[in-house]
């Protein structure tokens, strides 16, 4: 999950500080996620993806 967030953030040219501001967290929180030290909850993950302009689809196989 951290790698997905890191890659999406870099592709969108968004800093960790800016992403943290967008979701109401601090920069160190984003850093810990990207390094794999912590996993965000589902709602936070959706907020991160939304703030980066990405959509997550959950589909049945």
């Amino acid at each position: 999950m951290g790698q997905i967030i890191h890659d999406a953030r870099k592709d969108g040219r968004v800093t960790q500080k800016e992403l943290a501001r967008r979701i109401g967290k601090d920069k160190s929180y984003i850093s810990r996620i990207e390094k794999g030290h912590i996993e965000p909850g589902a709602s936070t993950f959706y907020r991160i993806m939304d703030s980066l302009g990405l959509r997550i689809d959950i589909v049945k196989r």
Side-chain angles (χ1 to χ4, degrees), residues 11-59:
D11 288 346
R13 298 181 184 185
V14 176
T15 65
Q16 287 182 342
K17 183 177 180 178
E18 174 60 20
L19 177 56
R21 185 196 64 76
R22 291 178 185 181
I23 66 164
K25 301 287 185 181
D26 58 40
K27 179 185 172 293
S28 65
Y29 181 75
I30 302 301
S31 177
R32 291 192 316 262
I33 291 171
E34 289 184 358
K35 290 179 181 176
H37 295 267
I38 61 171
E39 295 263 336
S43 64
T44 302
F45 182 69
Y46 283 110
R47 280 198 333 263
I48 291 170
M49 292 294 102
D50 185 55
S51 73
L52 293 172
L54 300 174
R55 186 180 84 198
I56 298 174
D57 292 328
I58 299 173
V59 295

